[in-house]
């Protein structure tokens, strides 16, 4: 299972009153940039495995890979995957 925890970087150019970590209500609608951008992959992965186990559902071996560089190009991800290939399988 793969996910990332990082959000869009802060920089100029967003609509007034919005940004990557600033929720805003505009015209009665809630805008929360990045709120659904995989930031909950870690708890979601763990809870999905826990749900399977609580229901006694069989599952194969699960590897969870969570990174914190996806929004900036994942520069180091593959070096870690390469180093851990034997453990990951």
């Amino acid at each position: 299972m793969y996910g990332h925890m990082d959000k869009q970087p802060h920089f100029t150019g967003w609509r007034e009153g919005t940004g990557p970590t600033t929720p805003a209500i505009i015209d009665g609608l809630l805008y929360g940039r990045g709120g659904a951008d995989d930031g909950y992959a870690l708890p979601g992965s763990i809870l999905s495995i826990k749900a399977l186990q609580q229901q006694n559902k069989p599952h194969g071996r699960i590897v969870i890979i969570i990174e914190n560089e996806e929004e900036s190009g994942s520069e180091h991800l593959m070096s870690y995957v390469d180093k851990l290939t034997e453990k990951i399988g």
Side-chain angles (χ1 to χ4, degrees):
M1 304 175 96
Y2 166 82
H4 65 91
M5 300 181 296
D6 57 328
K7 298 295 180 198
Q8 289 285 324
H10 290 264
F11 54 82
T12 60
W14 304 114
R15 181 176 174 178
E16 183 68 32
T18 67
T21 57
T22 307
I25 298 176
I26 301 171
D27 297 327
L29 300 174
L30 175 62
Y31 290 83
R33 294 199 65 259
D37 185 26
D38 213 11
Y40 300 99
L42 180 56
S45 296
I46 292 169
L47 290 173
S48 65
I49 296 167
K50 185 176 180 178
L52 289 171
Q53 292 171 342
Q54 287 176 335
Q55 297 174 53
N56 295 317
K57 301 284 185 184
H59 60 79
R61 180 174 173 267
I62 299 171
V63 175
I64 300 173
I65 298 174
I66 303 292
E67 69 158 319
N68 208 33
E69 293 185 316
E70 187 269 345
E71 296 295 349
S72 57
S74 302
E75 180 180 345
H76 299 98
L77 177 63
M78 289 313 299
S79 64
Y80 283 105
V81 170
D82 290 343
K83 287 178 185 176
L84 297 169
T85 296
E86 192 172 309
K87 288 185 178 186
I88 293 172

